[in-house]
Structures are given as C-alpha cells and as structure tokens.
Amino acid sequence: MSKTIIISNRLPLQVSIKNDKLEVVPSVGGLATGLKSFHRDGKSVWIGWSGLTKEEIPEDLLPQVQEKAKEEACIAVNFSEEEIEGFYYGFSNRSIWPLFHYFMEYTEWDSEKWEVYKSVNQKYADVVIENYEEGDLIWVHDYQLLLVPQMIRDKEPGATIGFFNHIPFPSYEVFRTMPWREEVLKGMLGANLIGFHTFDYERHFLSAVSRILRHQIEFNEVSLPDRLVKVESFPMGIDYDKFEQAALTNQEQSAERESDLQQRLNHHRNKAPDSKLILSIDRLDYTKGIAHRIRAFEYFLEKYPQYLENIRLVMLAVPSRSDVPQYQILKKEVDELVGRINGKFATVNWIPIWYFYRSMPFENLIDLYTTCNIALLTPIRDGMNLVAKEYIATRTDKTGVLILSEMAGAAHEMNEALIINPNNFEQIADTIHQAIQMPQDEQIRRNTILQKRLKRYSVEKWAADFMKALEKTKETKPAYKAVRISENIENNILERFTKSRSRIFYLDYDGTLVDFVDKPENAKPDGELVELIKSLTQIKHTKVVLISGRDKETLGTWWEDVQVDLIAEHGVWMRRPGKNWQLNEKVHNDWMDMVRPVIETFCDRTPGTFIEEKNYSLAWHYRKADPELGEIRANDLSNTLKELISNHGLSVLQGNKVLEIKSSGVNKGKAAGKYLVKKKYDFIFAIGDDWTDEILYKELPDSAVTVKVGLKKTAASYFVNETKRVRSLLTHFIEVDAAQKEKAGNVKN
C-alpha cells in the first residue's frame, strides 16, 4: 500500500538528552498539527533532523534516537555541527531567509555555505529515495530544502512530488540577485505541485521562472520539456478547535487554578476596568517589525495622550537565532526602546509596556489571547502569521480587535481585521485609536465572519487540499493527448520501420534537431548532426525532408553537402538533392513595404526583439525580450497585423517566441503533402516543436508517426522531451537498419 513521505528540516519531535537519558516528545502546533492526520494513520513516514548534531549525541544513544523516531513513524537524518552551521545557520538563515523577506542588506552570499546547503539537501533526498516505493506521495517543506524535489526526481523520475514554501517568495527583481538562482528554481521545479500561502508569492515565483529559466507559463502551469508543474496558493490555517476549546476551558477554570500570569492580568483588569491591553507576540526576528511597532506605539501615546495610564502594550518576544549578529543587534535595540519609552511615560502606578523576552507555555498564550482587547501584529514581511488566526480563534465571545500588517500573508484572507502599513506610524496610531473606540457590535460582526472562515479552512483542510491537488497532478489532461515515447513504444515504431518498403521522414530544424539560440544565425548544425542526417539519407528506400521556417539561403548553405530534401520558409521553397531551389507556391512579397514599418515600431518599443527578413515572409523574434513584455507585445502585434493584412491573402503564424507574416496558402502540411501525392509511402515519420508543425500533423494520414518535441498541446500522437532525445531516436533508426543489413548478409553467407 502506498504511503505519504513528509520531509521537513526538523522532525515533529522534541529530542533532548538529560542525565545521559534520551527524551523524545511530540511537537505541537504548526506543521506537526497540520499533518498529523496523514502522519499518524500508519500510512506515512516523516523524514527530518532530530535537532541534535552528531557531536551532541553519545555514540551509545544514536541507535535509540533512530528507534524512538521509528516509534513515531519518523526517520532521523543526522548531521554534524559543521553541516548545521553551513546549511541551517548559514545559507538557510543568512542567505535565503533575509532575501525572501526583502532584507537584502542582511543577505550574505558564501559559496562554501552554498556547497554545504547542496550536500545536506542531497542527504535528505537520499533518505527519501531509500524509503520510496512506487506509488508513494512525497511532500517536501520549506526554504531549507529547495533543492530536494529535483534531487529526488533525478533518481525517481516518475515520483509524485509536492513542495510547499512556508515563507514569502520575493519579486523577480529581488530574487534575481541570488548567485545560484537557476539552481534554486530548477530544484523547486522538480516537484509536480508547488504551493505558496498567497497568490502574490505564486505570481512572483512564476515571474522568476519565466524570466530566468524562460519556461513557458500558461495560467498557473509551468511547461517543462517532459511534464507540467502546477503552482497554486494554499493559505495555511490553524488547529481551530484546539484554540477555541482551550479558550473555553480557560474561561471556565476556577480562580485557584488560574496561572500566575492570568492572575496578574486579572488584577490589572479589575484595577482599571476601562483600560485596554494590546497584545504583541512574535519571534524576535527583524522581519516581524517589532522595533517599528514599539516606535509606532510611542507615537500613539504622543498623539493620543488621553490614553496614558489607560492602555498597555503586552509584548512577548520569543528568543530566536540568538547567535546570529543581526538578531543580537535587534535584541539590544528592542531592549533599549522598551527601556526608553517606559522611562519616558511611566508613572508610579503604570508603565506603558510589559515586555517578556522568553518562550511561554501554551496555557499562558491562551491567557494572553483571551484577556487582551487588541492584537497588534505588524510584520514588515511575513509568509502567513498564524498568531493573527490564533487570536481570533480564542475570542469565544467574539469581542476583540485584530490590527494586522498588510505585509503578512494572513492579511489576504482576513480583510475584516484592521489592515495597516507597518511603516506608517500615523496610520498605526490612528488604527489603535479606532480599535479602542470600535463598538462591541462591530467587533462581533467582524470576528463572526473571521471565525467562520478560519474554522472552515483549518490546518487539516489546508493539508487535505494540498494532498488532493497533488494526487490530481497524476491525471493526464485530455488536451495533452500525446504519449511519451517509452522504450516499448520506440521498439514498436522501429519494428514498423524495418518492415516497411518505402519511408519518408519530415524533420523540423530549430527546436527539434538543434536547441533554440538567441540569434538564429548561431544555430548552425554541428558535425554530429550533419553525420546523423547523412547516415539517415543513406538508408535504402528512405526519403529525408528537412522542413523549416528558415530562409532558403541559410538552409541551403548549411546543408549543401548533404543529399537531403529541403523545404524553406514553411513551404515556399523546395530543393531536391543536387537541384536548384524552386518556388513551391505562387507567392508575392510586395506587401512587405506596408508591413515592415509596423514591425519596426514594435522592435523600437520592445528591447531584445528584431526582424528577420526572408524572401517571402517577415519574422519578428522576441526570444531575448522580457518574457512578460514579449508576450504582451506579441499579442498586440498579432492583433494589429491581422487587421492590417485581412484583405491581402496573408496570415500571422505564431511560432516559438516568433511571429511570422506569410502568404495564407503556404504551410508545412501543404508542402509535405506534395510528396505523398507523387509516391506511396508505407512509413511516414514527422517531428517538430511548435505550432507551425501542427498543420503538418493534421495533413498526414492517421497511420503516420507524429512526434512533438516537448509536452505541449498537440495533434501529434507522441512526444519526446528535448533535442537530445530526437537525435537519439533518429540514431536508433540508423542502427536498426544497419543491424537488418548485417542480419541479411549473414543469411546470404
């Protein structure tokens, strides 16, 4: 029975060694809670780091770590201090974390740490591969493991892999500054499904893929040569029932059972019933905007002095990465700010900020959530921010006001909160005032909507939706009816070839026999390709036709020494071996002077584009243009030209990053058909990569072997991944012919 393999940096376990004894307890909250329904039903295994380095685990306890992990359906991956320093504290948190949160000034690029990051990602991938069985679902989590999906696919190309990024994905302009940007994107694209918290992050990722890797994007799908990668947003929820129930329990408990913190909060509330408590909970991280928040609160006290002694900011900062210099500087800044503001405004009976620098048990968090009237959460950049959702879930009487930064992912689904810009102190101060003055019925109205939404889209629903979408990636879309040429299919095609008596091959050139290049003139055939086509033409009873959109001069020069039929400009020109070029269709070019200025205007407006002028057609190339701008301009130019040429017997042909204007009656299908009229072929093979080849496929008999290069919508029966595979396939035709000749020779002897 297939299983789910979950991979994250850390296991959902808290592992510690006390008095030479191993202690292992399950983690609570976050990912561990969200995936428990998949993890604890006996059909999954969780792979991750135990949290202890090899140096921290005595040799005699190492087997126990693995055994304890196994009891919890986990597999512990062990790392040295050096690996954790380079991978986790180094590249993950000093390079990716600040860059993805737009703190470029804190970003460090260290090639040694990058190498450690790669090697650790490979170790995670290797453990996955060791435990993978066909049919398993693989779910990789977060920015520490960006390379793992492709590393798994390299060894298990048929695996179904999901990847979820729990932090923001930055805009292209920020992401492009990463020295290893291509490797990171390719690593992520090893997945079948890539998930983000919000559509903005999804959009930024797709933009980076389009501009850096130049892959075709259609809606939320990335077209790779051999498969499609789906990219979607799945906003992560919380364990709503857990927080709601904890809040109800908190309210029902007797005074004797209340925590010290709750008693202190109650004392404050009883002493000043009309005063307000503002809650602030974060990890101490520069992305959370804590220093900004404190300064904004100071500005609020200055602008609205009537609230002095009637309001208090309860601030919990959970220690985080305290060995990283930026975090040490932030800790010092926050300490000084709190001290200065408390010194500035405090009275004998009141201080404006209660500051806690420590972790708190779950029960104390509930104390704070249920007691504080307002939650003030102002991250500068945050992937989601679950604290906002937890606060709302605990407001069982539906009172309370949430003030939330628009830079938090949660803001996209919590519009009923008071949304603010974390850098606008004026707005924050006014919004705090609005929150204090908000009538109770409005608080209830807003929170009722929020609670209903959060309860419906819980963390369990988030996980279930992702897994459902991952399962769906296994389905083949009807539009992509072409079947990959497997070993069995190839053998069947080769068998048909050997049994046939008369064969013809129609071979496209650019994108099929050679890869695309920025400048068309640089796609000259290499020696290997020339010899391949020569050998193919030398097979008895076999006609080879190179059918291309290229101009006849270029095509003729490149292939002048090879006995191959050439069709140029999509069918305008034809050249038989040893013959001169001749017009294949009656066409004219007097329209070019009318059309050329229009295309030149688009060249001027679109950097990286150029015109290629052929004998009877004009082509506008935009491969080097910005991908998004190129597509927009191509659409505009296509519409403009269609209006201009509608009565001139011309058509606009959309190729691979090229628009071509040519006579309507000319196409590859018509040119290829002339061969079939003159002679009967019992084996027809056609291969190409773009829309110009679709007409050819449709014109050929149903018995023809039609092949598309790349996974795209096509009328072809089969597809292959790339030009290397095309050459490999053509080589196999030559090899089986040679083997057949050898066999025939042996029979004669």
Side-chain angles (χ1 to χ4, degrees):
M1 185 178 289
S2 61
K3 61 183 180 295
T4 301
I5 302 177
I6 303 163
I7 312 99
S8 62
N9 172 50
R10 290 286 296 270
L11 288 173
L13 305 172
Q14 294 177 342
V15 182
S16 59
I17 298 173
K18 295 179 181 177
N19 301 322
D20 295 326
K21 288 187 178 181
L22 190 69
E23 292 187 7
V24 179
V25 294
S27 301
V28 292
L31 203 56
T33 300
L35 300 181
K36 67 182 179 183
S37 59
F38 294 99
H39 181 49
R40 299 306 302 166
D41 63 2
K43 297 178 184 177
S44 78
V45 61
W46 195 313
I47 296 170
W49 177 45
S50 67
L52 297 175
T53 63
K54 290 178 180 177
E55 292 82 353
E56 292 174 310
I57 305 174
E59 201 167 322
D60 60 318
L61 290 183
L62 194 56
Q64 285 189 43
V65 173
Q66 296 292 353
E67 192 57 38
K68 289 284 188 183
K70 190 175 180 180
E71 290 174 9
E72 299 293 334
C74 294
I75 298 173
V77 187
N78 295 313
F79 300 108
S80 66
E81 286 181 6
E82 184 179 358
E83 286 175 314
I84 292 300
E85 180 59 39
F87 155 71
Y88 182 72
Y89 294 109
F91 195 79
S92 292
N93 289 317
R94 294 193 183 190
S95 301
I96 299 175
W97 178 269
L99 183 76
F100 280 34
H101 286 86
Y102 294 79
F103 283 83
M104 297 175 71
E105 67 274 23
Y106 292 158
T107 305
E108 301 175 12
W109 302 122
D110 185 323
S111 58
E112 290 184 9
K113 288 184 172 62
W114 163 248
E115 291 301 323
V116 176
Y117 181 85
K118 286 199 295 184
S119 68
V120 169
N121 270 242
Q122 188 63 61
K123 285 189 176 183
Y124 278 107
D126 290 344
V127 176
V128 174
I129 292 161
E130 287 170 15
N131 291 274
Y132 173 78
E133 296 174 328
E134 189 174 347
D136 288 349
L137 294 177
I138 300 171
W139 192 359
V140 185
H141 288 270
D142 225 359
Y143 66 102
Q144 301 95 345
L145 306 178
L146 295 172
L147 307 180
V148 169
Q150 185 57 47
M151 288 173 169
I152 297 171
R153 192 161 300 284
D154 287 341
K155 299 289 178 66
E156 295 290 346
T160 302
I161 305 169
F163 176 82
F164 194 89
N165 193 59
H166 291 265
I167 66 173
F169 195 92
S171 69
Y172 161 73
E173 287 297 335
V174 172
F175 181 77
R176 70 191 292 210
T177 63
M178 178 185 277
W180 305 281
R181 58 196 184 187
E182 289 91 353
E183 292 94 323
V184 167
L185 290 177
K186 288 175 182 176
M188 296 173 72
L189 287 172
N192 301 81
L193 173 66
I194 300 174
F196 297 95
H197 284 305
T198 73
F199 176 71
D200 282 350
Y201 309 154
E202 174 189 333
R203 180 168 52 86
H204 291 160
F205 173 75
L206 291 172
S207 176
V209 168
S210 172
R211 294 173 179 221
I212 295 170
L213 299 182
R214 299 281 171 157
H215 288 314
Q216 184 178 339
I217 310 293
E218 190 170 344
F219 298 109
N220 64 334
E221 290 180 337
V222 182
S223 294
L224 300 184
D226 58 340
R227 59 194 176 84
L228 296 173
V229 178
K230 194 90 169 178
V231 184
E232 291 193 26
S233 52
F234 302 86
M236 189 176 183
I238 60 169
D239 187 345
Y240 189 93
D241 291 340
K242 174 185 174 182
F243 282 90
E244 182 183 44
Q245 193 56 50
L248 291 170
T249 302
N250 177 278
Q251 292 169 8
E252 293 168 0
Q253 67 185 355
S254 60
E256 300 81 42
R257 301 192 64 181
E258 288 177 347
S259 66
D260 291 340
L261 176 61
Q262 185 64 65
Q263 290 176 10
R264 187 178 175 189
L265 291 168
N266 289 344
H267 174 74
H268 166 81
R269 192 160 52 183
N270 294 333
K271 187 177 178 182
D274 296 328
S275 66
K276 303 292 182 183
L277 292 178
I278 301 177
L279 178 62
S280 163
I281 297 181
D282 302 278
R283 281 188 311 103
L284 189 69
D285 192 291
Y286 50 76
T287 66
K288 301 299 183 180
I290 297 172
H292 274 47
R293 192 177 312 161
I294 297 169
R295 292 190 182 97
F297 183 65
E298 177 185 22
Y299 182 73
F300 164 77
L301 293 176
E302 290 171 345
K303 184 173 182 179
Y304 296 98
Q306 65 267 34
Y307 294 115
L308 292 172
E309 298 194 51
N310 284 309
I311 198 160
R312 178 173 280 127
L313 178 62
V314 182
M315 196 169 75
L316 173 61
V318 179
S320 174
R321 300 167 190 161
S322 54
D323 57 338
V324 178
Q326 288 91 349
Y327 290 79
Q328 294 168 352
I329 293 168
L330 176 62
K331 168 70 165 58
K332 185 171 182 290
E333 181 184 13
V334 170
D335 289 349
E336 290 175 355
L337 278 171
V338 172
R340 181 177 64 76
I341 293 170
N342 278 344
K344 179 178 179 180
F345 293 102
T347 64
V348 174
N349 298 314
W350 174 78
I351 57 171
I353 302 175
W354 279 350
Y355 174 46
F356 303 92
Y357 177 67
R358 60 174 180 265
S359 298
M360 279 192 178
F362 179 73
E363 291 74 17
N364 286 160
L365 291 178
I366 300 301
D367 293 338
L368 291 172
Y369 285 149
T370 55
T371 305
C372 293
N373 312 91
I374 299 166
L376 179 63
L377 304 170
T378 61
I380 303 298
R381 192 73 65 167
D382 204 343
M384 176 49 66
N385 197 299
L386 298 179
V387 170
K389 297 184 176 185
E390 292 168 2
Y391 176 75
I392 293 298
T394 59
R395 307 303 297 182
T396 53
D397 63 355
K398 297 184 174 16
T399 63
V401 181
L402 172 63
I403 302 174
L404 181 61
S405 165
E406 65 187 33
M407 304 298 180
H412 292 268
E413 53 180 319
M414 301 184 77
N415 294 322
E416 292 76 19
L418 301 181
I419 307 299
I420 53 91
N421 182 330
N423 300 302
N424 189 335
F425 290 0
E426 190 80 38
Q427 184 189 28
I428 294 173
D430 291 344
T431 304
I432 293 173
H433 174 66
Q434 179 187 352
I436 295 169
Q437 296 295 320
M438 185 180 291
Q440 193 173 90
D441 59 347
E442 185 179 348
Q443 295 177 33
I444 292 171
R445 180 185 63 80
R446 289 171 180 263
N447 290 337
T448 299
I449 300 170
L450 283 170
Q451 288 181 351
K452 185 177 180 181
R453 185 181 303 131
L454 296 179
K455 189 165 189 173
R456 184 177 67 251
Y457 202 85
S458 65
V459 69
E460 291 86 0
K461 181 75 164 56
W462 163 80
D465 281 1
F466 186 93
M467 295 304 288
K468 185 178 179 182
L470 183 58
E471 283 275 11
K472 202 171 180 182
T473 62
K474 295 179 180 180
E475 300 173 8
T476 303
K477 288 192 170 183
Y480 296 87
K481 68 167 190 173
V483 178
R484 185 202 304 272
I485 295 185
S486 63
E487 186 176 347
N488 287 338
I489 291 174
E490 182 176 328
N491 289 337
N492 290 335
I493 294 171
L494 293 173
E495 185 179 353
R496 285 179 57 190
F497 170 77
T498 56
K499 289 180 178 178
S500 61
R501 293 288 177 265
S502 183
R503 310 116 171 188
I504 187 167
F505 284 78
Y506 295 109
L507 309 178
D508 177 43
Y509 186 73
D510 293 280
T512 302
L513 297 177
V514 296
D515 288 322
F516 284 107
V517 293
D518 290 336
K519 294 182 178 179
E521 61 269 23
N522 292 342
K524 185 178 179 179
D526 54 86
E528 177 193 84
L529 178 60
V530 172
E531 289 304 314
L532 174 64
I533 300 302
K534 274 185 180 179
S535 299
L536 199 61
T537 60
Q538 289 166 4
I539 299 175
K540 283 186 178 181
H541 311 299
T542 301
K543 171 75 69 177
V544 181
V545 184
L546 289 186
I547 184 164
S548 171
R550 287 213 171 243
D551 64 274
K552 67 181 179 66
E553 287 78 16
T554 302
L555 208 60
T557 301
W558 285 352
W559 296 99
E560 62 182 348
D561 297 326
V562 183
Q563 296 297 300
V564 62
D565 283 54
L566 300 177
I567 293 177
E569 298 186 28
H570 302 294
V572 174
W573 295 96
M574 177 186 289
R575 193 190 78 177
R576 306 276 186 176
K579 305 288 185 179
N580 293 323
W581 285 101
Q582 63 183 42
L583 270 174
N584 207 24
E585 298 285 346
K586 289 183 179 181
V587 290
H588 58 92
N589 59 10
D590 53 1
W591 53 267
M592 288 187 175
D593 290 338
M594 171 186 70
V595 172
R596 190 184 299 104
V598 177
I599 304 177
E600 287 173 346
T601 300
F602 276 79
C603 286
D604 295 338
R605 292 171 54 209
T606 317
T609 65
F610 63 92
I611 299 176
E612 180 187 5
E613 189 162 334
K614 304 176 186 180
N615 292 280
Y616 292 96
S617 64
L618 292 174
W620 182 70
H621 293 267
Y622 59 97
R623 185 170 304 282
K624 289 188 71 178
D626 175 271
E628 292 181 19
L629 179 61
E631 292 298 334
I632 292 169
R633 291 281 195 266
N635 186 57
D636 290 346
L637 177 58
S638 178
N639 291 334
T640 302
L641 290 173
K642 284 174 182 175
E643 291 181 13
L644 184 66
I645 65 178
S646 58
N647 298 317
H648 292 77
L650 302 172
S651 61
V652 179
L653 201 64
Q654 175 74 60
N656 194 314
K657 303 296 181 185
V658 60
L659 278 182
E660 188 157 351
I661 303 90
K662 63 176 190 61
S663 294
S664 298
V666 178
N667 59 66
K668 289 184 178 181
K670 193 173 180 181
K674 293 187 176 183
Y675 284 88
L676 305 183
V677 169
K678 294 178 180 179
K679 184 176 180 179
K680 187 176 181 180
Y681 294 93
D682 56 358
F683 181 83
I684 302 170
F685 181 93
I687 188 167
D689 74 291
D690 70 16
W691 288 107
T692 64
D693 302 293
E694 294 300 313
I695 303 170
L696 171 60
Y697 303 146
K698 291 172 182 176
E699 289 291 329
L700 295 177
D702 292 340
S703 59
V705 177
T706 52
V707 185
K708 192 79 167 181
V709 182
L711 180 60
K712 303 166 187 173
K713 292 179 181 177
T714 180
S717 301
Y718 306 105
F719 79 92
V720 294
N721 297 350
E722 54 188 355
T723 57
K724 287 181 183 177
R725 182 72 177 92
V726 175
R727 294 192 185 194
S728 168
L729 184 58
L730 295 178
T731 300
H732 292 162
F733 283 112
I734 297 165
E735 290 172 350
V736 296
D737 179 70
Q740 196 175 31
K741 286 178 181 176
E742 184 179 352
K743 184 178 179 181
N746 291 336
V747 170
K748 285 182 180 180
N749 294 332

